Amino acid sequence: MEYARSEMNQNRMSKFLKGLKLEDLFFVGIQESFDEDLRDLFERLGWKNAGSFHQNSSQHEKSFVSQNEREEIKRLNLSDVALYQEAVALRDQRIKTIMQK
């Protein structure tokens, strides 16, 4: 929680993307749909599918985060939560468009 409460660690993606609109980007993927989104990106770029990439898998045991801590982290990162929701909506729209073809 010390990390989450530090202002410099809050809303990091919103700060990084400040001034940009997600819909203006060539591609927006979602971590939870990594493999599917990667295949879509390769197709859009006309690249051959290179398989899966899982570089960041950790062998460390995950620590427990309480519901109260989760809620606090969300409150501390409201801009990033909104950005994520926008990205999911854009992804859903992209998938819907693909399905209609």
Side-chain angles (χ1 to χ4, degrees), residues 1 7 9-10 23-24 35-36 41 52 59 63 66 72 75 80-81 84 89 96-97 101:
M1 290 307 300
E7 195 281 327
N9 297 320
Q10 296 169 14
E23 60 266 12
D24 292 338
D35 288 335
E36 183 179 347
L41 176 61
S52 285
Q59 302 302 320
S63 60
S66 73
E72 182 178 354
R75 280 192 307 275
D80 274 4
V81 170
Y84 174 79
K96 189 176 182 179
T97 300
K101 289 181 179 181

Side-chain angles (χ1 to χ4, degrees), residues 35-75:
D35 288 335
E36 183 179 347
D37 287 354
L38 189 62
R39 283 190 301 272
D40 185 26
L41 176 61
F42 276 43
E43 185 175 312
R44 292 181 80 189
L45 292 170
W47 295 353
K48 292 182 180 179
N49 191 340
S52 285
F53 299 92
H54 295 279
Q55 300 289 333
N56 248 354
S57 59
S58 175
Q59 302 302 320
H60 298 289
E61 187 175 319
K62 295 181 180 182
S63 60
F64 176 75
V65 178
S66 73
Q67 187 61 34
N68 287 342
E69 290 170 326
R70 286 177 188 271
E71 291 303 318
E72 182 178 354
I73 291 168
K74 285 181 186 178
R75 280 192 307 275

Side-chain angles (χ1 to χ4, degrees), residues 22-23 27-33 37 80-96:
L22 291 183
E23 60 266 12
F27 184 83
V28 175
I30 302 296
Q31 179 65 35
E32 293 85 359
S33 307
D37 287 354
D80 274 4
V81 170
L83 183 67
Y84 174 79
Q85 292 169 341
E86 181 183 353
V88 169
L90 283 172
R91 181 189 186 276
D92 290 347
Q93 184 178 30
R94 184 181 80 234
I95 298 301
K96 189 176 182 179

